[in-house]
Amino acid sequence: MPSATATKRVRGVSVFRPFVFGSEAQPFDPAKKPPNVPADHTHQWRVFVKGVNDEDISYWLKKVQFKLHETYAQNVRTVEQSPFEVTETGWGEFEIQIKLYFVPESTEKPQTLWHSLKLHPYGPDAEAKKERREVVISQNYEEVVFNEPVEQFYELLTGGAGAGAQPPQKGKGGKNTKQAQQQKGVRTAEIPVNQSAQNPYSKATEGSEIDRLAEANKTVEDMIKQEKDRLIEREKRLAELRASEGVPATTKKR
Ligand code: SLL
């Protein structure tokens, strides 16, 4: 029989954990193509699931199943430990099914994601990038949300900080810094303050994304207002024309 903590859920609590999934691909230099690679394969690529800034996520993620295109031998690849990734070679782009299996303590069902493997550069600079045989990175920031996790999983997720875990407080001597929390074994969903060459996902990039969305929202609101003003103007004009011709504003059906 499962123990009480195995089945008892922490009511009213959602815990989320950020992660990154995607792919990296690079074309072979024809002069340096490894001899064991099939003749029609043009690229080497890697599909992965990892923590933001390579943070360890194996305390909640147990294994990952990558389902490749059927043209691949043994196209279902299961990776039981970190790094959760598959490296392959090939010639074509396709959709990869990524199934996340959580640690057994979680009692959670697996979750499925899809990733479009990108081999070819895209965007405005695509041609130049192709010329330079640049690495093509296509990745996404994602958050997994555990709603009302079972107690034992909640303990694992938070590093035993449990309900006592306080959000960082300002001006309290920095006792709740990420470093201090890590030393105490406390686990959080915090992402780095700033981006780096290896990791584009940070509070700073999130902030500028929020600003960008707010800006776009404002543009749309302005456009709606302009359209509304124009409509009011036209209705006014229509009413004037009707009045001058003696046509009633509305015609009643009998
Ligand atoms: C396409 N619909 O036509 C896609 C399929 C398949 C990719 C891409 C080779 C595997 C192998 C490979 O790259 N398959 O033969 O080992 O673009």
Side-chain angles (χ1 to χ4, degrees), residues 41 69 71-72 90-94:
H41 287 196
H69 194 262
T71 45
Y72 283 90
W91 49 263
E93 299 182 336
F94 57 93

Side-chain angles (χ1 to χ4, degrees), residues 89-107:
T89 64
W91 49 263
E93 299 182 336
F94 57 93
E95 296 288 313
I96 301 177
Q97 190 200 65
I98 302 176
K99 211 162 162 183
L100 307 180
Y101 291 83
F102 305 108
V103 292
E105 294 86 342
S106 71
T107 72

Side-chain angles (χ1 to χ4, degrees), residues 40-185:
D40 58 346
H41 287 196
T42 52
H43 291 72
Q44 177 159 58
W45 54 259
R46 184 172 72 91
V47 58
F48 57 82
V49 176
K50 63 186 186 95
V52 173
N53 205 23
D54 287 318
E55 187 173 305
D56 177 31
I57 53 172
S58 57
Y59 66 93
W60 57 265
L61 188 62
K62 175 77 167 63
K63 69 173 183 184
V64 180
Q65 189 192 73
F66 299 92
K67 201 168 178 185
L68 312 182
H69 194 262
E70 282 100 41
T71 45
Y72 283 90
Q74 284 103 40
N75 70 319
V76 181
R77 312 281 175 90
T78 307
V79 183
E80 308 257 0
Q81 69 273 311
S82 169
F84 301 104
E85 58 179 45
V86 169
T87 300
E88 260 298 349
T89 64
W91 49 263
E93 299 182 336
F94 57 93
E95 296 288 313
I96 301 177
Q97 190 200 65
I98 302 176
K99 211 162 162 183
L100 307 180
Y101 291 83
F102 305 108
V103 292
E105 294 86 342
S106 71
T107 72
E108 297 279 339
K109 287 196 290 284
Q111 283 187 25
T112 301
L113 307 165
W114 289 89
H115 174 69
S116 301
L117 173 66
K118 292 267 171 291
L119 300 185
H120 310 294
Y122 45 97
D125 241 9
E127 276 312 308
K129 285 178 177 159
K130 199 170 167 180
E131 202 64 34
R132 294 193 291 267
R133 288 199 199 92
E134 269 184 28
V135 176
V136 174
I137 301 174
S138 171
Q139 60 181 6
N140 292 288
Y141 172 95
E142 194 43 274
E143 287 170 358
V144 60
V145 181
F146 301 108
N147 287 317
E148 304 199 326
V150 293
E151 277 180 2
Q152 56 177 6
F153 188 39
Y154 183 67
E155 290 300 310
L156 259 183
L157 281 171
T158 56
Q166 293 296 319
Q169 288 175 357
K170 280 201 181 117
K172 286 263 167 100
K175 284 282 182 284
N176 257 315
T177 61
K178 178 104 182 156
Q179 205 183 6
Q181 286 175 340
Q182 272 168 355
Q183 275 164 9
K184 287 186 276 179

